[in-house]
Amino acid sequence: MSPAFRAMDVEPRAKGVLLEPFVHQVGGHSCVLRFNETTLCKPLVPREHQFYETLPAEMRKFTPQYKGVVSVRFEEDEDRNLCLIAYPLKGDHGTVEIVDNSDCEPKSKLLRWTTNKKHHVLETEKTPKDWVRQHRKEEKMKSHKLEEEFEWLKKSEVLYYTVEKKGNVSSQLKHYNPWSMKCHQQQLQRMKENAKHRNQYKFILLENLTSRYEVPCVLDLKMGTRQHGDDASEEKAANQIRKCQQSTSAVIGVRVCGMQVYQAGSGQLMFMNKYHGRKLSVQGFKEALYQFFHNGRYLRRELLGPVLKKLTELKAVLERQESYRFYSSSLLVIYDGKERPEVVLDSDAEDLEDLSEESADESAGAYAYKPLGASSVDVRMIDFAHTTCRLYGEDTVVHEGQDAGYIFGLQSLIDIVTEISEESGE
């Protein structure tokens, strides 16, 4: 049984865990779901699973902690809402196991699969044919609506939302991140379309890197000069090569794949998706990084040193790895956008009362407040579905030496963050 289930003290044959959208997913096309506060899950890809199981010890601090595998199925409640439910992995994974869902959240009774192979829909004991036809019609309309929303999302490459001052910022994030909701809806749609063939999937459990931050600011960077795996078709490889050539990937070995930033100074949430990231020039990439570390009033300079330190450490680790190629993987940079101010000793309390958000300039803001835990910034590698190494015996192509493209991207990132730091006066 997965350690995550043991930690939750879940009765394996009676209960499941309702999976929710992971609201801080800013990039990638694979759906990431929230298992619990500290754990996420995503569809199991054998190559990525193998990577986590054979991960070199010195790389572990730069990747999410691997927590095991669960079985996931989608089910429908009495209101016909689709839910993704995780169960402990057991038995023959090629067949659907009969599980008592009576204690599973949501508390409303979950509907059962019909044994009538003619329809392959979720139904109660008696389902009129008219309802089945209407259900199919509604689902078709929902599918078209999803496609329309996705097209709108592609056109809206950079979005700004003004946060309500009286509300909780972290709770408002749940309603605003368009990319995570798109991925969640598409995952449900894919599983529904395949329902006639299967309704049981393996998902891997990984550490939730954002769990220790109140308002996570997340930057997803696609690393390396090459994105396609060795097993890619000619068409897929050509498509990935074109994307690299038309973006900063070919020039500096890195491009923006997604971004979520809370700008406390302006009270706005900013989201940037991969479509905008592909269009950025090298200068535009640098400006995007600057924007990521800017809180709407001043640059969070105290974050730059820790980021540079971790990037340098990661580069040294990867330079010691033989044969690994991290094609199409990403690098996450995460910090807390919620600054808890601490008054410096030589600040006058009366003066600070007069220091309003509207009148505070950059120097005053930086002088009067010292954020607690400001250096708490994380740098992690994610997404290893196309990673290869000589340890993977089934691979027909075996690479020698370092992943030069990834390391080149890291060095470019180090250089650009260093420039931002120097130009900002640090």
Side-chain angles (χ1 to χ4, degrees):
M1 192 194 310
S2 165
F5 271 98
R6 286 199 298 269
M8 292 182 66
D9 194 26
V10 175
E11 178 61 37
R13 293 190 177 275
K15 295 182 179 180
V17 175
L18 174 66
L19 302 178
E20 301 174 350
F22 174 53
V23 298
H24 303 303
Q25 179 179 0
V26 298
H29 60 272
S30 180
C31 179
V32 179
L33 300 165
R34 182 184 182 276
F35 182 85
N36 60 29
E37 185 66 27
T38 60
T39 307
L40 305 177
C41 66
K42 61 183 292 192
L44 184 149
V45 176
R47 186 172 293 275
E48 182 169 45
H49 186 219
Q50 187 174 18
F51 170 80
Y52 280 112
E53 297 231 307
T54 60
L55 182 65
E58 64 176 342
M59 285 188 64
R60 287 176 189 158
K61 67 181 290 188
F62 293 106
T63 59
Q65 179 190 356
Y66 168 67
K67 299 187 177 186
V69 180
V70 292
S71 176
V72 173
R73 32 189 296 190
F74 81 84
E75 301 170 9
E76 200 172 57
D77 63 19
E78 59 188 11
D79 297 320
R80 301 174 189 168
N81 296 314
L82 287 179
C83 308
L84 290 176
I85 313 294
Y87 297 98
L89 195 64
K90 57 188 181 298
D92 181 2
H93 312 311
T95 60
V96 177
E97 185 176 2
I98 303 302
V99 181
D100 178 11
N101 299 313
S102 59
D103 295 323
C104 181
E105 293 291 344
K107 293 180 180 179
S108 55
K109 182 180 177 183
L110 292 167
L111 305 184
R112 295 296 179 187
W113 281 96
T114 175
T115 54
N116 185 345
K117 295 181 180 179
K118 203 170 184 180
H119 298 301
H120 296 291
V121 295
L122 290 169
E123 55 183 27
T124 52
E125 293 179 2
K126 293 182 180 180
T127 305
K129 290 183 179 179
D130 289 343
W131 181 89
V132 173
R133 283 195 291 268
Q134 181 63 23
H135 179 76
R136 287 176 173 170
K137 184 178 179 180
E138 289 174 359
E139 292 307 312
K140 190 173 182 180
M141 290 174 64
K142 287 180 183 177
S143 178
H144 287 311
K145 184 177 180 181
L146 177 61
E147 291 176 5
E148 291 174 2
E149 289 177 351
F150 185 36
E151 288 303 313
W152 173 83
L153 181 61
K154 287 171 68 175
K155 294 174 184 177
S156 307
E157 297 170 353
V158 181
L159 300 173
Y160 288 87
Y161 294 100
T162 300
V163 177
E164 295 179 14
K165 292 184 178 181
K166 293 182 180 179
N168 182 285
V169 178
S170 56
S171 65
Q172 291 183 60
L173 268 171
K174 295 179 182 179
H175 306 289
Y176 285 143
N177 189 335
W179 194 262
S180 66
M181 296 310 300
K182 186 272 296 185
C183 290
H184 183 69
Q185 291 170 345
Q186 285 192 328
Q187 181 67 37
L188 284 171
Q189 192 64 35
R190 281 194 296 268
M191 293 177 78
K192 276 194 63 181
E193 290 170 356
N194 292 329
K196 66 174 70 174
H197 306 296
R198 63 187 293 204
N199 183 34
Q200 185 161 293
Y201 297 80
K202 290 181 181 179
F203 276 54
I204 59 172
L205 297 172
L206 298 170
E207 172 189 5
N208 178 3
L209 301 173
T210 68
S211 63
R212 62 194 178 100
Y213 301 106
E214 187 174 344
V215 186
C217 292
V218 185
L219 176 64
D220 186 325
L221 299 170
K222 187 70 75 174
M223 300 300 296
T225 54
R226 168 181 162 175
Q227 302 301 325
H228 63 281
D230 292 322
D231 58 345
S233 64
E234 287 187 14
E235 181 181 1
K236 178 73 171 179
N239 186 42
Q240 294 295 340
I241 290 171
R242 176 182 54 80
K243 289 177 183 177
C244 287
Q245 290 175 339
Q246 295 177 353
S247 69
T248 55
S249 293
V251 185
I252 57 175
V254 56
R255 71 173 183 257
V256 173
C257 192
M259 186 192 302
Q260 168 184 296
V261 185
Y262 173 55
Q263 299 175 332
S266 60
Q268 287 188 319
L269 287 165
M270 188 275 280
F271 300 96
M272 181 186 294
N273 68 24
K274 65 180 181 180
Y275 303 108
H276 186 76
R278 289 178 192 165
K279 297 176 182 178
L280 295 175
S281 63
V282 174
Q283 180 60 30
F285 177 87
K286 180 179 176 180
E287 291 170 358
L289 251 63
Y290 182 91
Q291 189 174 25
F292 176 67
F293 291 111
H294 202 282
N295 72 353
R297 193 190 310 136
Y298 55 83
L299 186 69
R300 295 283 300 274
R301 299 187 186 97
E302 79 282 358
L303 300 170
L304 302 181
V307 167
L308 284 171
K309 184 175 183 292
K310 294 192 175 186
L311 290 174
T312 303
E313 288 176 1
L314 174 58
K315 179 171 175 283
V317 168
L318 295 188
E319 287 173 341
R320 293 192 289 271
Q321 305 309 311
E322 281 288 322
S323 182
Y324 273 102
R325 295 295 182 274
F326 304 101
Y327 298 135
S328 198
S329 71
S330 287
L331 189 70
L332 290 185
V333 181
I334 311 169
Y335 71 88
D336 203 334
K338 181 72 172 179
E339 296 180 78
R340 291 171 295 175
E342 177 182 302
V343 180
V344 294
L345 293 178
D346 55 351
S347 296
D348 187 276
E350 195 172 320
D351 292 337
L352 291 175
E353 280 184 25
D354 298 329
L355 188 63
S356 65
E357 285 189 7
E358 291 75 23
S359 64
D361 62 16
E362 183 169 327
S363 59
Y367 170 76
Y369 293 93
K370 178 184 177 183
L372 294 173
S375 63
S376 180
V377 60
D378 211 350
V379 174
R380 305 285 187 105
M381 299 173 69
I382 61 166
D383 297 341
F384 304 100
H386 301 286
T387 292
T388 182
C389 176
R390 68 160 63 98
L391 298 175
Y392 306 168
E394 73 277 9
D395 287 357
T396 55
V397 180
V398 177
H399 300 272
E400 299 294 334
Q402 311 165 343
D403 187 340
Y406 196 110
I407 293 172
F408 172 61
L410 275 178
Q411 186 57 56
S412 297
L413 196 54
I414 290 170
D415 292 342
I416 292 173
V417 175
T418 299
E419 287 178 16
I420 293 174
S421 178
E422 291 174 349
E423 290 172 3
S424 68
E426 184 167 298

